[in-house]
Amino acid sequence: MTALLAAILVTLKLAGLTTLILLLLGTPLAWWLARTRSRWRMPVGALVSLPMVLPPTVLGFYLLLGMGPDGPLGQLTTALGLGTLAFTFQGLLFASVLYSLPFVVHPLQSGFGAIDASVLEAAATLRASPFDRFISVVLPLSKPALVTATLFGFAHTVGEFGVVLMVGGNIDGQTRVLSVLLYDQVEAMAYGDAHRLAAGLLVFSFGMLLAMQWLGRRTALVHD
């Protein structure tokens, strides 16, 4: 298997799993942030948004310390017989979930916040449980936000560099993603290969943004 193909497979696996986990964890979190009046809303919202302004290497550095043999997470995983997560795909996945969290939560939070409370109240008068209201009312009304969150989370994970390099390292077939492979090519002065890979990532990113807008608009029109 060539280095490029291996990096593509690792990148797609990482982005797919990260997006899936974020949709499962981020959906209830976004709903809580959109609807709660708790005093913890602002601190939690700021914590969720932190990866958007924090240098990726800072997050990667502290995650690396936490996952190490002397870190709290590293001690926990070692006690469970899992070893340490640093420089493994599992550690890379954990870091990617944290780093891409706001890119999934924010679109969902905006979509949930735009739902008229009277719609939910009407469903409640029909004796729909909170779970039923969420499944049958909230999610269908939030389809554009769900589409945006899915594509945004996937695309952002594909483009990660600093965090994945700090936490996952550069292990061929295990933690080397496309952005790290591009860095390797530039370091080796293989500019032809780097040009082709960079152009491919540019086209992919532009295509994801177009798809995000087109699918969001189409979903909104179908809903209307």
Side-chain angles (χ1 to χ4, degrees), residues 5-218:
L5 180 57
I8 290 174
L9 292 177
V10 172
T11 302
L12 292 177
K13 179 181 177 183
L14 178 65
L17 288 174
T18 297
T19 304
L20 178 60
I21 292 171
L22 283 174
L23 287 173
L24 293 174
L25 299 180
T27 299
L29 176 58
W31 176 252
W32 182 82
L33 287 170
R35 294 292 169 175
T36 187
R37 295 182 180 179
S38 169
R39 62 179 179 175
W40 293 102
R41 180 180 181 273
M42 291 183 66
V44 172
L47 190 62
V48 168
S49 302
L50 191 59
M52 299 184 72
V53 297
L54 191 68
T57 48
V58 173
L59 178 60
F61 172 69
Y62 283 113
L63 284 175
L64 189 60
L65 290 181
M67 292 178 181
D70 296 325
L73 186 57
Q75 291 178 352
L76 175 62
T77 55
T78 300
L80 294 174
L82 302 175
T84 57
L85 296 179
F87 308 115
T88 66
F89 181 82
Q90 291 77 11
L92 189 61
L93 178 61
F94 181 78
S96 294
V97 167
L98 291 181
Y99 188 50
S100 292
L101 181 63
F103 296 90
V104 171
V105 170
H106 284 178
L108 292 175
Q109 184 180 347
S110 297
F112 293 155
I115 297 175
D116 193 334
S118 63
V119 177
L120 298 176
E121 291 170 0
T125 61
L126 298 175
R127 297 184 179 180
S129 68
F131 181 76
D132 288 335
R133 294 198 296 269
F134 187 80
I135 296 297
S136 60
V137 178
V138 174
L139 290 184
L141 291 176
S142 304
K143 281 184 181 179
L146 286 166
V147 170
T148 300
T150 300
L151 295 180
F152 217 168
F154 188 91
H156 183 260
T157 304
V158 169
E160 290 176 4
F161 176 72
V163 170
V164 297
L165 184 61
M166 292 285 288
V167 174
N170 190 2
I171 305 173
D172 185 27
Q174 297 182 45
T175 63
R176 182 190 294 162
V177 294
L178 286 172
S179 58
V180 175
L181 178 61
L182 176 60
Y183 177 77
D184 288 346
Q185 292 172 343
V186 173
E187 268 202 327
M189 293 188 290
Y191 295 128
D193 292 336
H195 260 304
R196 286 187 286 272
L197 179 53
L201 289 172
L202 176 62
V203 170
F204 167 80
S205 300
F206 185 71
M208 289 293 285
L209 289 173
L210 281 180
M212 190 185 306
Q213 295 185 44
W214 182 78
L215 286 173
R217 179 179 175 82
R218 185 170 181 269

